[in-house]
Amino acid sequence: MLRRAAVAQEPLSHDDLTPASTAVGPNGGIVTHTPLRWRLAILTATVVAVAVGAVTLVTYWTVSSTLTASVDVELSQKSSLLIDRASEPLQLVHIGTEIERFKSYNPGSRLAVSPPGWTSSRGDNIRLGTDFNPVPGEYFSTFNTVGGERIIAVNNGFGTTVVLAHDMSSTRQLISTLGGILLFIAAMGILLAIAAGMVVATAGLSPLSRLQRAVDYVTRTDDLRPIAVAGTDELAQLTRSFNAMLETLQQSRTQQAQLVADAGHELKTPLTSMRTNIELIMMVNRPGVVNTMSDADLRDMERDVLAQMSELSTLIGDLVDLAREDAPERINEPVLLEETIASSIERVRRRRLDVDFQTDTLPWVLDGDAFAIGRATLNLLDNAAKWSPPDSTVRVRMTQIADDRIELSVADSGPGINEDDRERVFERFYRSPEARAMPGSGLGLAIVKQIIERHGGSIRIEESDDGGTDMRVELPGRPVADDVREPR
């Protein structure tokens, strides 16, 4: 079973460094066979590259904006001083000298000044590259970049205009140098991210590789021993879950082997006895053989054969029901428990006419398998009737113990069950010493417990009021009003 399951899945690649390949999936999509180690490394490198690239762009933009803003602040301060000096009447005579002096102290700058009332400007011919429309009486300034220069034009509202241009080549060179450094750092970061991704992927997938090798070993050798667990991380929890699966599989395999062995043993006993009786009957009826068996013995032997055939048929039916309960298919439908019990009582009453049944039931419905619930109630009632003495009464009572729980009691007047055997009677093929003289396969109560637990219930054994057995079954469900019950 484990081997077929392992083959049905696609195992991890033994060699994490095998070349990547692609194929078309069952839904038309592209399925990649890139090793998980490479995928983790590529994913890590991609995330780091995006982060480094974003930081690099933000840093470059921030530094570039900061440098440009610092140039603008410096130009604003200088233009304010220049426009104040240009507004003084005494400075108009020496305006040319002032311009040259300013340029000597500020290399790389150009200056043009237009005093109040002038229609022309003194200084450099500076092209603004934008419209300059000052409003009389209001301070007005504008910035622009033209031909590698940062230009500010200021008008104080009284006719004085100053145009100052600063060469941005040194600033741009600094920004370009910074961009190159940041690009180099980003490239190195991506390379380091790839290396770190490989290291992290190798270290992180090492326990997974060990788990995969252990799974391959289980698949190859069919050895269901648990896998060693190291640590407490998610992979350790995965290993524990896998060990739990192996334990469950081992238990299932053991139960299957035990079921086959017990079934073979139980089938062998009636078959051997029936074969012996049939051979004796055939020997007596052979031509020329003197019949030394009386008619009464012959009839007793024939009854034994029929009883053994009935026992064999019952055992085979129990095995089929047991296999049916082990099957994964489940039927889920509303089941009227009161009507199911009534139907089971009718069937048991036909087999035990000397036993009376006293019922005290409630309208109750649960969702489940109607056939299985009927089989469970039939087995419970049949077991109670089998152990009840003649002219006794089997008491069937339903009691609601919660809004969604009900208790079903099936009490008989038989010899009861010892406390040491009350748990073991639910085991498959187990029969107490007192029960071995009675017909049966030892599967009836095992089937009952399996059905009850599959439907979310439980079963326990207590002693009845008159010393017999009281089977107590708890089941989920809900009450049904009398006006909505189906007629029987």
Side-chain angles (χ1 to χ4, degrees):
M1 182 184 299
L2 180 63
R3 186 171 307 218
R4 290 195 296 268
V7 173
Q9 299 177 355
E10 183 176 348
L12 297 174
S13 173
H14 289 280
D15 187 3
D16 286 338
L17 300 180
T18 54
S21 61
T22 59
V24 179
N27 297 325
I30 301 300
V31 179
T32 179
H33 297 284
T34 304
L36 183 58
R37 178 184 300 179
W38 278 104
R39 279 184 279 169
L40 289 177
I42 293 172
L43 178 61
T44 303
T46 301
V47 172
V48 173
V50 171
V52 171
V55 171
T56 301
L57 291 176
V58 171
T59 303
Y60 180 81
W61 177 82
T62 302
V63 173
S64 177
S65 300
T66 301
L67 291 176
T68 302
S70 65
V71 172
D72 291 345
V73 170
E74 184 180 359
L75 291 176
S76 297
Q77 293 173 352
K78 290 179 180 180
S79 61
S80 297
L81 293 175
L82 288 172
I83 202 167
D84 290 340
R85 293 181 63 84
S87 300
E88 298 176 2
L90 296 178
Q91 298 296 330
L92 298 178
V93 180
H94 307 288
I95 189 171
T97 304
E98 291 293 333
I99 290 174
E100 294 299 329
R101 182 182 300 172
F102 175 83
K103 293 170 62 176
S104 65
Y105 283 108
N106 296 275
S109 298
R110 296 193 299 155
L111 177 63
V113 179
S114 177
W118 287 32
T119 58
S120 60
S121 61
R122 295 289 300 275
D124 299 311
N125 183 17
I126 302 175
R127 184 166 58 91
L128 294 178
T130 185
D131 295 334
F132 184 72
N133 299 314
V135 179
E138 295 182 5
Y139 190 88
F140 181 81
S141 65
T142 182
F143 285 94
N144 196 21
T145 301
V146 179
E149 290 182 319
R150 189 65 173 169
I151 300 172
I152 181 174
V154 181
N155 185 279
N156 63 355
F158 300 102
T160 303
T161 299
V162 172
V163 179
L164 180 59
H166 178 73
D167 188 7
M168 296 291 290
S169 58
S170 58
T171 303
R172 292 184 180 279
Q173 184 178 3
L174 178 61
I175 294 174
S176 299
T177 302
L178 176 64
I181 294 174
L182 291 175
L183 185 62
F184 175 76
I185 293 175
M188 293 301 298
I190 293 174
L191 292 178
L192 290 176
I194 295 175
M198 289 295 298
V199 173
V200 170
T202 301
L205 293 178
S206 179
L208 188 59
S209 298
R210 290 196 300 269
L211 178 60
Q212 183 220 340
R213 289 194 295 270
V215 172
D216 291 341
Y217 172 78
V218 171
T219 305
R220 185 175 60 255
T221 62
D222 211 18
D223 186 357
L224 300 181
R225 287 180 298 178
I227 303 171
V229 180
T232 59
D233 55 6
E234 289 78 3
L235 288 175
Q237 296 176 5
L238 177 61
T239 305
R240 292 189 183 92
S241 300
F242 189 81
N243 286 338
M245 182 190 69
L246 290 179
E247 182 179 359
T248 302
L249 185 61
Q250 181 63 50
Q251 292 176 355
S252 176
R253 180 178 294 178
T254 302
Q255 291 175 356
Q256 290 178 2
Q258 186 66 34
L259 176 62
V260 172
D262 292 341
H265 175 74
E266 294 293 332
L267 288 171
K268 183 179 180 180
T269 301
L271 282 175
T272 302
S273 178
M274 186 166 55
R275 177 180 178 178
T276 301
N277 290 333
I278 292 174
E279 287 179 347
L280 286 175
I281 295 174
M282 293 174 60
M283 185 184 304
V284 169
N285 292 319
R286 284 179 182 174
V289 176
V290 179
N291 187 0
T292 60
M293 184 178 298
S294 64
D295 293 339
D297 291 338
L298 185 60
R299 285 193 297 270
D300 290 339
M301 190 174 299
E302 291 174 350
R303 283 195 296 269
D304 288 342
V305 170
L306 292 176
Q308 290 156 3
M309 292 179 63
S310 178
E311 181 181 354
L312 186 62
S313 177
T314 301
L315 176 60
I316 293 174
D318 289 340
L319 290 174
V320 171
D321 288 338
L322 201 62
R324 183 176 183 272
E325 286 304 307
D326 289 335
E329 294 81 6
R330 294 292 181 261
I331 301 174
N332 194 23
E333 59 184 353
V335 181
L336 293 173
L337 186 58
E338 184 184 19
E339 296 186 0
T340 302
I341 292 174
S343 176
S344 299
I345 290 176
E346 292 297 328
R347 295 176 61 182
V348 176
R349 183 178 282 125
R350 287 194 293 267
R351 293 196 288 263
R352 285 298 305 268
L353 299 176
D354 56 344
V355 175
D356 190 22
F357 290 86
Q358 178 183 343
T359 61
D360 181 12
T361 58
L362 298 173
W364 191 262
V365 64
L366 70 153
D367 295 327
D369 189 341
F371 178 84
I373 294 294
R375 179 64 173 174
T377 57
L378 179 63
N379 284 0
L380 284 174
L381 293 167
D382 194 34
N383 186 76
K386 180 174 68 174
W387 289 98
S388 296
D391 301 326
S392 62
T393 302
V394 175
R395 285 89 65 193
V396 180
R397 185 179 68 256
M398 293 172 61
T399 306
Q400 185 173 349
I401 58 177
D403 292 340
D404 60 345
R405 305 286 291 186
I406 197 169
E407 182 181 74
L408 170 64
S409 171
V410 180
D412 60 50
S413 302
I417 301 176
N418 296 328
E419 291 188 5
D420 296 338
D421 293 330
R422 288 181 181 178
E423 289 298 327
R424 299 198 62 189
V425 294
F426 295 111
E427 298 177 3
R428 298 178 178 183
F429 295 106
Y430 176 78
R431 304 182 69 188
S432 62
E434 295 83 2
R436 289 170 186 170
M438 300 287 290
S441 63
L443 291 175
L445 292 180
I447 295 174
V448 170
K449 183 178 182 181
Q450 191 166 347
I451 293 173
I452 296 301
E453 291 181 348
R454 177 164 68 85
H455 286 80
S458 61
I459 183 171
R460 68 184 188 277
I461 299 177
E462 296 183 1
E463 184 176 340
S464 64
D465 297 336
D466 52 359
T469 301
D470 188 359
M471 294 285 183
R472 298 290 184 96
V473 177
E474 288 189 19
L475 284 171
R478 56 193 180 275
V480 181
D482 291 340
D483 55 347
V484 299
R485 293 167 60 191
E486 297 180 2
R488 285 164 40 192

